[in-house]
Each structure stands twice: as C-alpha cells, then as structure tokens.
Amino acid sequence: IEKQQWSFSGPFGTYDPAQLQRGFKVYREVCSGCHSLRLVAFRNLAQPGGPGFSEDEAKAIAAEYTVMDGPNDDGDMYERPAILADHFPSPFPNEQAARAANGGAYPPDFSLLAKARAAHRGFPNFVFDAFTQYQEQGPDYIYALLTGYEEEAPEGVEVPVGQYYNHSFLAGKTLAMAPPLSEELVEYTDNTPMPVDQYAKDVAAFMMWAAEPHLEERKKIGFRVMAFLIIFGSLLYFTKQKIWRNVDH
C-alpha cells in the first residue's frame, strides 16, 4: 500500500476542514446508502478540530435525517427529525436486511474503519513509522482500495460472479463492493478537481476524522506533556547535581 501525504500526519498534523467537508459530501451522496456511521453524532460536525460546520449548519444537516424514537404515551415507536444529540442513522434496520440488499455481504460501519483497516508496512518501515509517528496506514489503505479497481483481472485470476477485481484489497483480490466512485460523480462547490483519486482522498480523510475526531487535541496534549517532562527531568538532574556534588560515593 503506497504511503500518501495527509495534512493530519506527523506529531503536528491537523485536519483540513475543507477536505473533511468534501469527504462528508462524498459519504452522504455515495457511501451512506450502504455504510452506517453509528458512532458519530451530528453535534460532532460542529466540534473544534472537525469539518468546521457551524452549529446551525449541523442542525440543518441533522434535520434532513429521521430517527426512530419512543415509546410515546401510547407505547408506540415513532419517527422524528434528528437533532444534534442523535447519531447518524443506519441505512438498514438490521444486519440481515443489509446482507439481503448487498448480495450476502455486510457493509462495515465507517465509524472506526480508518483505524481498523490499517495495512501493516513490515520491516523496516514500521521502525521508521515509530520515529516519525506516522499512523495513517488506515487512510492509505482506504485510498488504495477506492482507486484500486480494474476492469479486467490479470491473467490467471478468476473473478466470481457478483465480485470485482481490486489489486489493493487485503482480504483477497476480489470483493463484493462495486467501484463506488467515478469522475464528477459528486459536485464540489469549492472549485476542487473532481477525479476519482480526489474523491478517494477526501472521503478517506473524513473517515480518519470519524475514527479519531480528537486527534488534534491529543497531539496538543502530547506535545505539552513531552515539554513538561523534558523541563521537569532537567530540573531533577540539576537538583541532584547540586545536592550530591560534595558527597563521596
């Protein structure tokens, strides 16, 4: 899996709100018909370090969805427009319905997929990754998968009926998901080019944010902790030198 350049990689990386908004648009218009996002609440869209939606914009997005609530005073469940506290509803009522609609395949939830589907880079790459703090193997894989479809499989590779060849798929060479992206499928309003690789990169970044929405805060806290430990360790060293400098050992 080829390593990509991401704005959020490295110890000081941050999310690009414009990219996250584009990725969210791709998710809504292409991916949400099959894949759920059940661990992400609508209020997360307006939180700091995220896609940069205002609270009113997040409320408007939530109002476009309906969620099941209840029971009411009569003991019945009912549907209502979603609010900020609600999570994104699943496109299917249960797993069996999802499998029935997708030829037996169960579309995975997108909430944590960018962290769960990381491709191992092997030795010595993982050693370099530890020093550079590179943790974006998941978005790398998602991008590679979305851009790895080929119309014709190589010689000797048999593609079963209802399957599609993808040279980047880790669990084999074919999968049940048809190529979800095509050029100019989703209209961007910020003059960003609209080829497949741009869509793939944007939605991969959005999925990374969904899996780790507090990434920027974590990095800031980590930097402060490391700075404190360096200063504190230095003070302990000089204190020890002053107290024990005239003591025979």
Side-chain angles (χ1 to χ4, degrees):
I1 302 299
E2 185 177 350
K3 183 177 178 180
Q4 302 296 321
Q5 296 295 323
W6 304 100
S7 66
F8 47 85
S9 64
F12 304 105
T14 59
Y15 289 120
D16 179 2
Q19 184 179 46
L20 296 186
Q21 290 192 21
R22 294 194 303 267
F24 176 59
K25 187 176 179 66
V26 174
Y27 167 75
R28 290 187 69 188
E29 297 187 16
V30 179
C31 311
S32 62
C34 296
H35 296 274
S36 58
L37 198 65
R38 62 184 179 85
L39 298 182
V40 178
F42 292 104
R43 64 172 177 265
N44 297 136
L45 298 175
Q47 73 179 32
F53 290 109
S54 67
E55 184 173 327
D56 290 338
E57 289 173 329
K59 287 180 179 179
I61 293 172
E64 297 177 12
Y65 292 81
T66 58
V67 296
M68 189 66 68
D69 202 350
N72 57 18
D73 294 339
D74 297 325
D76 298 324
M77 303 298 290
Y78 62 94
E79 290 186 343
R80 60 165 175 81
I83 60 176
L84 290 180
D86 292 317
H87 290 68
F88 280 84
S90 173
F92 302 103
N94 50 59
E95 179 178 339
Q96 289 73 18
R99 291 187 182 277
N102 290 276
Y106 182 53
D109 180 78
F110 269 9
S111 302
L112 301 175
L113 203 64
K115 302 291 285 187
R117 292 292 193 273
H120 299 288
R121 283 162 43 83
F123 182 83
N125 291 324
F126 74 86
V127 177
F128 299 142
D129 291 343
F131 283 100
T132 60
Q133 299 186 34
Y134 189 78
Q135 304 172 352
E136 284 66 50
Q137 295 87 350
D140 285 346
Y141 173 58
I142 293 170
Y143 172 83
L145 181 70
L146 292 175
T147 57
Y149 286 93
E150 296 182 17
E151 293 184 2
E152 295 184 5
E155 185 177 353
V157 177
E158 183 178 353
V159 181
V161 177
Q163 298 278 310
Y164 302 87
Y165 176 75
N166 190 309
H167 64 260
S168 296
F169 188 44
L170 292 179
K173 291 301 180 183
T174 64
L175 69 166
M177 183 176 71
L181 302 174
S182 59
E183 290 192 7
E184 299 186 356
L185 178 64
V186 179
E187 183 178 359
Y188 286 161
T189 57
D190 60 355
N191 297 322
T192 300
M194 296 178 286
V196 171
D197 65 327
Q198 184 67 53
Y199 290 144
K201 200 155 193 177
D202 291 342
V203 76
F206 172 74
M207 290 171 64
M208 180 63 180
W209 169 80
E212 194 168 7
H214 301 292
L215 175 142
E216 293 185 11
E217 183 180 358
R218 173 175 64 81
K219 290 182 177 181
K220 290 178 182 178
I221 293 175
F223 176 76
R224 293 166 185 163
V225 169
M226 292 302 297
F228 167 78
L229 290 177
I230 292 172
I231 295 173
F232 184 63
S234 300
L235 292 175
L236 286 179
Y237 172 77
F238 290 119
T239 301
K240 179 258 184 187
Q241 291 292 92
K242 180 176 179 61
I243 293 176
W244 296 95
R245 70 181 186 278
N246 296 322
V247 177
D248 293 333
H249 296 284

